[in-house]
Amino acid sequence: MNEDKKGIKGYIGAETFAEMGYVVANNQLGSSNVEIVLLKMPESGVQCVDEVVLWLKLGWIRMHSIN
């Protein structure tokens, strides 16, 4: 879960982003079918926010929805 950390909303650190990239690549290659769900949208200060936005648009990851 990408909860708030160090005063940053939707924090995603380098290790978590690397794991996400690994899963996205394996999903695209057909090697796995693992769903990535983010709890919160990362704020603009998170280094990987551009990649997260792109992956959301492509449907490779999704946001958690509370119903």
Side-chain angles (χ1 to χ4, degrees):
M1 274 195 274
N2 65 318
E3 297 179 344
D4 300 348
K5 183 177 179 182
K6 302 178 185 178
I8 300 171
K9 293 181 182 179
Y11 180 83
I12 298 174
E15 291 179 21
T16 300
F17 180 67
E19 291 176 9
M20 288 172 59
Y22 179 80
V23 170
V24 165
N26 279 319
N27 285 347
Q28 295 306 304
L29 292 171
S31 302
S32 65
N33 187 22
V34 177
E35 186 176 26
I36 299 173
V37 182
L38 296 180
L39 178 64
K40 297 181 178 184
M41 184 66 191
E43 66 180 34
S44 61
V46 175
Q47 291 183 344
C48 64
V49 71
D50 293 335
E51 288 83 359
V52 168
V53 169
L54 175 63
W55 293 353
L56 285 166
K57 287 181 184 177
L58 293 172
W60 295 350
I61 64 175
R62 70 177 183 90
M63 295 297 302
H64 175 70
S65 60
I66 300 172
N67 293 330

